[in-house]
């Protein structure tokens, strides 16, 4: 923040933190996490660290919270900051959030209002960002690719569009639960799972966005088809969004954590990264209407499917080709050994196998999980998984032209991280290119395995000048080959198989490193392990001063393994309703609404100078949540 000199000194200076070394743990060189406190004179732009004045940088400490040691009023002109009111969670905000609820509501007004195109601009009269124009001969398309030339602008620096697409292709939103990285120590220390996010992503639900009145789509306040939505989800759980096409593949993705507090409603984002525009008013959309059926992602997990497997009996797209089904036990996990390996064995390895000295089709061995491959500092991974999801360094199969790496965000030749519709694997199983580009939009290899020749629109071009812009082409026939299916050599892929493969890629290629093939139902300590604490909230009594207490109201929920009610406990350090301090009170509570428990006192507690209520609950995995509430009661 700004530091102001005492009265009479006119200059404002910026007190800041600077580190001469890396500030996270992904690097091994030193110094690590050694921030010091520095002063930037007059808050002006500095071009090098020497232009800052060192205040304090002790190598034994990470001084990462600089604060001016003067009264708050001297800086801001008021004695203290405004105290924001606590979220009451009293049931008044929505009928879908009764008082004491452990849930929240999330939604938005428009998916057409988006600025996720890399380095794009919003043309006049539009609300969707696109190519910014100018003299770029590639028209901004190289922002989507990277081969040895550093991180791409798209997906890493700015924007998150998985290729080119139109607003008409926007079909659904996927809400993902995001679980933090394990931090275990001892015999089973470390992370016993892998995906390209480094954290577990589980599907809470896939929600179609299109609405129909007959064959017509109602419009939103901007005059576009209404793509608003509203969903109930567990509170105090990290989550993020993915926009999906009709096939269930990611169009764009939010790459940050979000969270709702119990009883909270968040509908104000107004679009996807639409920071330069006024948000579309959610209150004027269909999702804000009283008759809108709010999606319940607490008790069900809806996912996209084809029309043949639709359970909803509703129309979700213009051509009426898509459907919706419900997963019996949510949230939905997609993991390599349980979901992907069986598909590969059933429909791929008959041709793509290197066993018995054979050359696998396409120089891609999908029958190699008996191998354990060391992948740089990440550890050892199964051979087939490595070839598909951990081969950025191009150790296996065909290699790129002019580089020894496929380049971020490519996980391999076949998969781009979190971008199924830009992954060669998905092009082959769908029998077409899916990412909105044509083969002629970028230079590409003359043929697989030729590392010396790049073609652009059929003509040879300089490898040195164009290798950073190269991309893969879709060529050949669909996989598995139709003739192999007709001959009974392999089984065809179903629509659900393709959607499962797409989900797996778009979740970062999850792999359970603690999977036991002899006991596949075993949770283990890997991807399937539940490490999310239960949601627990105490609405009454409130912190601080309370009127006479007539009841205790709390909410709890666990979306993973579920609550272990045998480890539900409520204890007060004061006598209440004829019960001595310190005795267990949990049996007094009754369910008032889903996830909400209430104890109505037979005699109100009229006065209390100071008291503490301690609530504890575990889930079936053993994760513990605790709320301690200290409060007082003023007599009336």
């Amino acid at each position: 923040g700004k530091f102001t000199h005492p009265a009479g000194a006119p200059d404002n200076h910026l007190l800041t933190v600077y580190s001469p070394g890396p500030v996270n743990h992904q690097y091994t060189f030193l110094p690590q996490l050694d921030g010091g406190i520095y002063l930037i004179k007059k808050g002006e732009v500095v071009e090098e660290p020497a232009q800052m004045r060192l205040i304090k940088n002790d190598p034994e400490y990470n001084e990462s919270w600089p604060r001016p040691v003067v009264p708050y009023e001297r800086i801001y002109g008021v004695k203290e900051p405004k105290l924001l009111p606590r979220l009451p969670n009293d049931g008044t905000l929505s009928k879908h959030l009764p008082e004491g609820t452990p849930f929240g509501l999330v939604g938005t007004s428009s998916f057409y209002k988006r600025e996720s195109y890399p380095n794009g601009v919003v043309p006049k009269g539009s609300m969707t960002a696109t190519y910014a124009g100018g003299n770029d001969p590639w028209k901004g398309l190289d922002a989507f690719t990277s081969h040895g030339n550093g991180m791409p602008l798209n997906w890493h620096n700015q924007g998150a569009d998985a290729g080119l697409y139109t607003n008409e292709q926007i079909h659904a939103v996927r809400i993902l639960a995001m679980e933090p990285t394990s931090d275990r120590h001892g015999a089973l220390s470390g992370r016993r799972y892998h995906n390209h996010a480094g954290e577990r992503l589980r599907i809470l639900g896939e929600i179609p966005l299109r609405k129909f009145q007959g064959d017509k789509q109602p419009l939103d306040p901007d005059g576009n088809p209404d793509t608003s939505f509203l969903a109930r989800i567990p509170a105090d759980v990290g989550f993020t969004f993915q926009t999906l096409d009709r096939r269930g593949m990611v169009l764009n993705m939010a790459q940050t954590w979000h969270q709702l507090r119990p009883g909270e409603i968040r509908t104000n984002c107004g679009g996807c990264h639409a920071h330069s525009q006024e948000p579309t008013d959610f209150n004027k959309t269909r999702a804000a209407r009283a008759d809108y059926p709010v999606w319940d992602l607490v008790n069900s997990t809806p996912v996209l499917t084809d029309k043949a497997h639709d359970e909803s009996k509703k129309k979700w797209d213009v051509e009426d080709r898509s459907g919706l089904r419900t997963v019996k036990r949510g949230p939905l996990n997609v993991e390599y050994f349980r979901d992907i390996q069986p598909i590969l064995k059933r429909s791929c390895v008959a041709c793509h196998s290197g066993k018995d000295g054979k050359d696998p089709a396409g120089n891609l061995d999908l029958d190699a999980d008996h191998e354990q491959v060391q992948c740089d500092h990440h550890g050892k991974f199964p051979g087939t998984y490595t070839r598909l999801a951990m081969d950025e360094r191009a150790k296996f199969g065909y290699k790129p032209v002019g580089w020894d790496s496929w380049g971020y965000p490519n996980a391999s030749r076949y998969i781009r991280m979190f971008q199924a519709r830009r992954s060669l694997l998905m092009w082959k199983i769908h029998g077409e290119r899916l990412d909105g580009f044509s083969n002629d939009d970028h230079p590409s290899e003359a043929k697989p395995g030729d590392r010396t020749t790049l073609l652009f629109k059929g003509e040879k071009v300089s490898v040195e000048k164009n290798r950073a812009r190269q991309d893969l082409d879709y060529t050949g026939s669909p996989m598995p080959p139709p003739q192999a299916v007709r001959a009974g050599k392999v089984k065809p892929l179903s629509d659900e198989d393709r959607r499962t493969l797409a989900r797996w890629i778009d979740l970062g290629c999850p792999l359970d490193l603690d999977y036991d093939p002899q006991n596949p139902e075993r949770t283990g300590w890997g991807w399937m392990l539940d490490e999310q604490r239960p949601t627990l909230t105490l609405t009454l009594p409130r912190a601080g001063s309370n009127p006479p207490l007539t009841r205790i109201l709390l909410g709890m929920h666990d979306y993973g393994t579920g609550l272990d009610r045998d480890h539900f406990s409520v204890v007060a350090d004061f006598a209440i309703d004829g019960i001595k301090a310190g005795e267990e009170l949990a049996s007094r509570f009754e369910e008032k609404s889903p996830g909400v428990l209430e104890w109505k006192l037979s005699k109100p507690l009229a006065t209390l100078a100071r008291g503490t209520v301690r609530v504890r609950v575990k889930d079936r995995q053993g994760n513990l949540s605790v709320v301690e509430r200290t409060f007082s009661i003023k007599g009336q």
Side-chain angles (χ1 to χ4, degrees), residues 35-90:
I37 302 174
Y38 294 78
L39 194 81
I40 300 177
K41 298 177 182 179
K42 300 181 181 180
E44 297 174 344
V45 173
V46 295
E47 297 179 350
E48 60 176 343
Q51 293 177 314
M52 298 187 295
R53 175 174 292 178
L54 173 63
I55 303 298
K56 177 75 172 179
N57 192 354
D58 188 329
E60 297 296 323
Y61 297 92
N62 181 33
E63 296 92 354
S64 60
W65 192 10
R67 290 182 291 176
V69 286
V70 295
Y72 188 91
E73 187 176 13
R74 183 179 295 184
I75 300 173
Y76 297 103
V78 293
K79 289 188 176 299
E80 59 184 25
K82 182 180 179 181
L83 183 64
L84 298 177
R86 290 179 177 269
L87 188 68
N89 197 12
D90 58 3

Side-chain angles (χ1 to χ4, degrees), residues 247 249 343-344 347-348 366 420 423-434 474 477-481 492-502 505:
R247 286 178 167 132
M249 290 184 284
I343 296 175
L344 301 178
S347 299
C348 304
L366 297 178
S423 298
L424 180 60
L425 176 66
M426 297 306 299
W427 301 352
K428 295 300 288 185
I429 68 173
H430 277 282
E432 61 178 306
R433 186 166 187 138
L434 302 169
Y474 172 75
S477 63
M479 293 289 127
L493 293 175
S494 67
D495 178 79
E496 192 57 41
D497 289 336
R498 296 185 182 94
R499 291 178 185 272
T500 297
L501 286 162
I505 294 172

Side-chain angles (χ1 to χ4, degrees), residues 224-527:
N224 298 313
D226 189 300
T227 52
S228 62
F229 84 98
L230 187 62
R232 186 171 70 146
I233 65 173
D236 292 345
V237 169
F239 68 92
T240 196
F241 306 98
Q242 293 177 330
T243 306
L244 308 179
D245 66 11
R246 185 172 52 81
R247 286 178 167 132
M249 290 184 284
V250 164
L251 295 172
N252 66 34
M253 179 178 179
Q255 298 179 51
T256 55
W257 288 55
H258 307 73
Q259 179 182 307
L260 294 172
R261 293 291 290 134
E264 185 179 9
I265 302 175
R266 288 297 303 274
T267 57
N268 59 348
C269 76
C272 301
H273 305 285
H275 304 304
S276 73
Q277 308 172 61
E278 285 293 326
T280 300
D281 189 351
F282 179 82
N283 293 319
K284 296 180 180 179
T285 65
R286 291 279 166 152
R289 288 172 41 161
D291 60 351
Y292 177 81
V294 171
W295 295 88
D296 183 9
L297 305 189
V298 171
N299 297 303
S300 64
T301 305
V303 294
L304 303 181
T305 188
D306 62 357
K307 199 64 179 179
H309 297 90
D310 176 54
E311 298 173 358
S312 68
K313 310 304 179 186
K314 292 183 179 181
K315 182 176 181 176
W316 300 113
D317 66 279
V318 172
E319 297 176 345
D320 199 15
R321 295 174 58 190
S322 60
L324 198 68
R325 65 181 181 89
T326 301
V327 175
K328 292 183 179 179
R329 175 72 176 92
L332 176 62
N333 285 296
V334 185
E335 188 275 326
Y336 176 74
F337 285 116
R338 294 166 175 82
D339 303 297
I340 304 304
Q341 190 186 68
I343 296 175
L344 301 178
K345 288 182 176 180
R346 187 175 67 240
S347 299
C348 304
V349 299
C351 300
H352 292 276
S353 177
K355 289 183 178 178
D356 302 323
K358 297 187 298 183
D359 291 328
N363 204 12
L364 173 62
D365 189 352
L366 297 178
D367 194 18
D369 278 334
H370 59 283
E371 303 174 4
Q372 288 292 309
V373 180
Q374 180 69 38
C375 296
D376 299 329
H377 64 281
H378 297 289
K380 291 185 177 181
F381 292 83
T384 299
Y385 180 90
T386 301
R387 287 161 171 80
L388 287 178
M390 288 292 289
D391 194 30
E392 180 187 341
R393 301 282 184 175
K395 294 179 180 179
F396 299 94
Y398 298 132
K399 303 182 187 306
V401 180
W403 297 106
D404 293 323
S405 169
W406 289 104
Y408 179 93
N410 297 282
S412 69
R413 175 183 178 87
Y414 306 97
I415 288 176
R416 279 186 172 96
M417 302 177 192
F418 302 100
Q419 301 180 51
R421 70 188 298 266
R422 294 217 69 207
S423 298
L424 180 60
L425 176 66
M426 297 306 299
W427 301 352
K428 295 300 288 185
I429 68 173
H430 277 282
E432 61 178 306
R433 186 166 187 138
L434 302 169
D435 62 353
F437 294 105
S438 74
N439 287 348
D440 286 340
D441 283 332
H442 297 90
S444 55
E445 59 192 9
K447 64 178 182 179
D450 183 346
R451 303 192 67 198
T452 63
T453 308
L454 279 178
L455 299 181
F456 183 53
K457 299 183 179 180
E459 301 292 332
K460 285 186 178 181
V461 295
S462 167
V463 172
E464 186 61 31
K465 293 180 179 179
N466 294 279
R467 61 179 186 155
R469 291 187 166 100
Q470 68 176 292
D471 202 357
L472 293 170
D473 289 349
Y474 172 75
T475 59
S477 63
M479 293 289 127
Q483 61 271 24
V485 174
R486 289 193 295 268
K489 188 177 181 179
V490 297
K491 292 186 178 181
L493 293 175
S494 67
D495 178 79
E496 192 57 41
D497 289 336
R498 296 185 182 94
R499 291 178 185 272
T500 297
L501 286 162
R503 289 186 182 109
W504 180 64
I505 294 172
D506 288 335
L507 295 181
C509 302
L511 172 69
D512 188 350
L513 292 170
D514 212 25
Y515 173 76
D516 181 1
Q518 303 303 318
N519 187 12
E521 299 301 318
R522 172 179 168 269
T523 299
W525 298 90
W527 184 266

